[in-house]
Amino acid sequence: MDSLYHFFETFIVSYDLFIAAMFLTVGITVCAFMFALVFGLFFAFLKLTKIRLLMWISDFYVWIIRGTPLIVQIFVLYYGLTNIILMPTFWAVTIALAFHVGGYLTEIIRGSINSIDKGQQEAGSSLGMSAALTMRRIILPQAFRRAIPSFGNQFIIALKDSSLASFIGMQELFGVANLEGSTNFDFMTYLLVVAVYYLFIVYVFTMLVRFLERKMSVSD
């Protein structure tokens, strides 16, 4: 009982700190995911061009992302970016996380585009649309609707991966838990508190993704 009481007491006392950290965590993840969509689209289109050099560039990017740990990518990009230009830590971490997530979105987007029936492209051509216009108005909207479940999963993974930002000084959820735990010599309680916040955020976004899936479901 004492342990449970101590947990709730810590949860209430640290409420302000963790709420601010929660919004920071969500902010990093949302911004990173928006940038990652741009990376994903760009490299997916490179792979779809069928031009060997461009396909190789896309494959190399995905290979680097999949083959190296996220923490290494964050450190390399963070210290690399901040050595080149003066940049707030928030944006340096966001771009580093976006670069990582973009590698996985590249394959998701490519697969979704390839899943659209080839007749759709022919239908666009028969209406006098260019290949680019057909892609923008016909293919991509359907591909993105089909990719919603995968996008949702990748967003939640990115949300949890954002905890690695604490290793370069960001006071997001895990960073706050780590700092408060070391300050109060009570790591376990603060780790349990931060776990509750992560579970809450993941639950909210999971429900949102399911809502979007039902709202924008695609029939084969």
Side-chain angles (χ1 to χ4, degrees), residues 107-116 139 142-144 146-147:
E107 291 301 305
I108 292 172
I109 293 170
R110 182 192 61 81
S112 297
I113 291 174
N114 284 337
S115 73
I116 305 300
I139 306 298
Q142 295 181 71
F144 268 70
R146 292 191 177 192

Side-chain angles (χ1 to χ4, degrees), residues 4-122:
L4 189 60
Y5 174 80
H6 178 60
F7 169 80
F8 282 112
E9 182 183 35
T10 303
F11 188 92
I12 294 169
V13 169
S14 60
Y15 175 81
D16 291 343
L17 286 172
F18 279 103
I19 288 295
M22 181 179 71
F23 281 111
L24 180 59
T25 296
V26 172
I28 291 171
T29 307
V30 170
C31 291
F33 198 81
M34 293 299 102
F35 283 121
L37 281 173
V38 175
F39 286 135
L41 272 170
F42 177 74
F43 286 102
F45 283 141
L46 289 188
K47 191 151 189 175
L48 291 169
T49 59
K50 305 302 181 185
I51 299 172
R52 189 176 297 276
L53 176 61
L54 299 182
M55 292 174 66
W56 182 86
I57 292 172
S58 179
D59 286 338
F60 182 75
Y61 167 62
V62 174
W63 176 68
I64 289 292
I65 294 302
R66 287 181 169 178
T68 56
L70 174 56
I71 188 64
V72 173
Q73 296 167 22
I74 288 177
F75 270 79
V76 168
L77 289 171
Y78 171 71
Y79 289 110
L81 288 172
T82 53
N83 279 335
I84 297 171
I85 55 174
L86 187 62
M87 181 181 294
T89 304
F90 175 89
W91 290 111
V93 170
T94 296
I95 292 171
L97 183 59
F99 187 78
H100 174 81
V101 176
Y104 293 92
L105 293 190
T106 295
E107 291 301 305
I108 292 172
I109 293 170
R110 182 192 61 81
S112 297
I113 291 174
N114 284 337
S115 73
I116 305 300
D117 191 274
K118 301 300 180 185
Q120 301 281 353
Q121 186 74 46
E122 296 170 2

